[in-house]
Amino acid sequence: MCGFVGYINEQNEIGNIEKNQINNMLKLIHHRGPDDTGFFNDDHIVFGFKRLSIIDVENGKQPISFENERYWMVFNGEIYNYQELRKTLKNIGYTFQTSSDSETILALFSHKKEEAFSDLRGMFAILIWDKQEQTMYGARDPFGIKPLYYTNGESEHELYFASEKKSLVALENKRSLNKEALHHYLTFQYVPEPLTMTTDTFKIEPGHYFIKRKGENLIQTKYWEPTFKPSQGDLDASSKQIARTLEESVNCHMISDVPLGAFLSGGIDSTCIVTLAKKINPDIKTFTVGFEQEGYHELNPVKQTVEALEVENSYYQVSVTEFIEELPKIIWHLDDPVADPAAIPLYFLAREATKHVKVVLSGEGADELFGGYRIYKEPLSLRPLSSLPDSGKKMMNFILNRVPQKVKGRNYIERGLTPIEKRYIGNAKMFSEADKFKLLSQYQSEYNYEKITTPFYEQIQHLDDITKMQYIDLQTWLRGDILVKADRMTMAHSLELRVPFLDKEVFKVAANLHPTLKVDKSQTKIALRSAMKHIVPEHIVNRAKLGFPVPIRHWLQNELYDWAKNLIMDSQTDYIFKKEEILQLLEQHRKINLHESSMFKSKGDYSRPLWTVLTFMLWHQVFIEKVYEFDTTMEHSKQF
């Protein structure tokens, strides 16, 4: 696990000014690779690299070259099938100087060029320079586990790449706000890819590679697409296949030359990973986080799991004081605003884990692949209405238009008559278009959320509604929220996170599951739970999903109320927001009666929309207003 920056100047040769700039960009991501620093420059390109040593600690340094230095590469991630690939390459005559997965990638690229990326099983962001052809190649893993950003320089002949956007924002001309990204952020609570919150700075999309030839534009090509093919399957047979494939994936993900542990919550996803990992490493350490607020920790089920599995566990409880103290730095690490409160406990969880291990396993991706979100049950409950013939729907709409808004059951009828394409935009929806019109000083209707979701829906018209929801979440929520916070919060503490559910082989099994093997009216992840029922502790098998709950809704009424009000007033975002609307939301939220132990939204609970705005305002202070400074020293690191 590492971080890198790259630079191409097709017109001018690389000089000291460019090298100093690369040094400064690399300092900002020291946390991604504190173990070693490496550089390579040709006449027209520079690579800078920060290494977190995991595999072949002694020899796996980067940038790395191959074929008499024709190819040079920087690579962030892990390839879990590199040993099999290496054996195949040896059989056809390739020789190796190291035991690293990075050298295997470069040998495979030498053999197959851009077709090599399809053969890689793992998580990765890659840059490869072909000195002979004067061409840059790059790729990002199928699910988008590892990030890869790019932007143009001051001239059309320059192009920059980086593992984190903050390295690109360091360029003086890369600080302007992307208004389209802002509109979408207020809907989704994150910035949908390939956009970022900064104008002219973008992400290479998951499952894509690119080619940048001299004098030509950067061209992206999709090499992998998450394709669902639900079939009429048998639960018992599917369960056995899931168990076998997942066990094999966990085994692959445990390849490491440094200490490895796992995150553990009270749900089936992480418990499944820990249970399978313990079979391979009986001494595996586990890590759990929570809050002192009643109902916002999973300590009791975790204790039961730890006792049942006989694993070591470290539990950390986050206080509201350190929560708010660390928040600006958390926002800085995220690069773009992500208003998912779960990012914060993940930050503290990673901080604790890195005291003991250098790699952790985690359960991200299980919900999207196996149907784990409660919202996936909705098509079943709405079926009496959604399955009506057109004439029936027309009659119901006629009646609906005459029913007052506050009448009980009206919302159910309205949702049942609304096509999935208009009803579901992903796992989070903060502000409607009407809300944004009231909230923003300059609302722009052309940035409607459907600009993001419609292209995805057009590709999956043949699928059932439950599978459509999974696909939308894979293409938006997973890569825009879940994996962003997972990568940034762990790498903030130089900790490598691995996600065995997000494996191409696991996806092949999940993609064939019939909807009835995913959810019914009472349960989620049916096939996964069935696969794990004789593996994980009994108290976990049917336990409902909780995730990383954060008491934001309570704190905004009490401990964080003054902080929130001051942030709204102090933030230099008057040119963006009508602040009186936000202050009104804060006051309305403060007045509602929240049951202390309730985890579910009450009428008048505006905590999540408020948190979306507050997160953006803090991001604006960090990256636009430059209110905060963070230590980015490169102790014990070499420079050009």
Side-chain angles (χ1 to χ4, degrees), residues 190 368 373 375-376 424-430 472-473 476-477:
Y190 56 86
E368 290 79 8
Y373 296 117
I375 190 65
Y376 292 165
Y424 190 72
I425 67 162
N427 219 276
K429 183 177 182 180
M430 295 298 108
I472 292 298
D473 278 336
T476 57
W477 167 257

Side-chain angles (χ1 to χ4, degrees), residues 78-128:
E78 302 291 351
I79 305 302
Y80 304 118
N81 64 336
Y82 82 96
Q83 292 172 335
E84 301 96 287
L85 293 172
R86 184 188 189 87
K87 184 177 180 180
T88 300
L89 290 165
K90 279 185 173 180
N91 288 340
I92 57 178
Y94 284 87
T95 58
F96 297 87
Q97 304 302 314
T98 75
S99 301
S100 67
D101 53 351
S102 53
E103 189 180 19
T104 305
I105 296 170
L106 210 42
L108 186 66
F109 181 83
S110 174
H111 181 57
K112 301 182 69 173
K113 280 298 183 68
E114 60 269 25
E115 292 181 8
F117 302 128
S118 298
D119 292 349
L120 302 179
R121 180 183 181 185
M123 53 182 182
F124 53 86
I126 298 169
L127 293 181
I128 297 174

Side-chain angles (χ1 to χ4, degrees), residues 524-550:
T524 60
K525 285 185 284 204
I526 293 171
L528 179 63
R529 294 180 194 277
S530 175
M532 294 294 111
K533 66 183 178 183
H534 298 305
I535 299 174
V536 303
E538 186 177 354
H539 69 281
I540 290 295
V541 174
N542 294 313
R543 194 165 187 270
K545 179 179 177 59
L546 192 58
F548 281 136
V550 183

Side-chain angles (χ1 to χ4, degrees), residues 276-334:
L276 294 174
K278 180 180 164 55
K279 289 184 178 182
I280 301 161
N281 177 11
D283 298 322
I284 191 167
K285 292 180 170 65
T286 64
F287 307 92
T288 306
V289 69
F291 297 90
E292 57 189 11
Q293 180 90 30
E294 184 62 32
Y296 289 87
H297 61 75
E298 299 181 285
L299 196 51
N300 290 334
V302 167
K303 282 183 176 178
Q304 287 182 266
T305 299
V306 168
E307 291 172 3
L309 296 180
E310 297 181 338
V311 294
E312 183 180 338
N313 180 257
S314 297
Y315 173 76
Y316 187 78
Q317 186 168 277
V318 183
S319 71
V320 66
T321 302
E322 63 179 341
F323 176 98
I324 208 65
E325 285 177 350
E326 290 293 308
L327 194 52
K329 192 169 186 180
I330 289 170
I331 297 296
W332 182 78
H333 276 292
L334 284 169

Side-chain angles (χ1 to χ4, degrees), residues 331-378:
I331 297 296
W332 182 78
H333 276 292
L334 284 169
D335 277 330
D336 278 335
V338 178
D340 187 343
I344 291 93
L346 186 54
Y347 174 88
F348 290 102
L349 182 61
R351 190 184 69 181
E352 293 307 302
T354 200
K355 297 173 182 176
H356 306 274
V357 298
K358 210 168 183 178
V359 180
V360 289
L361 304 181
S362 191
E364 280 82 358
D367 293 313
E368 290 79 8
L369 267 62
F370 292 99
Y373 296 117
R374 284 192 295 265
I375 190 65
Y376 292 165
K377 298 178 185 178
E378 188 182 61

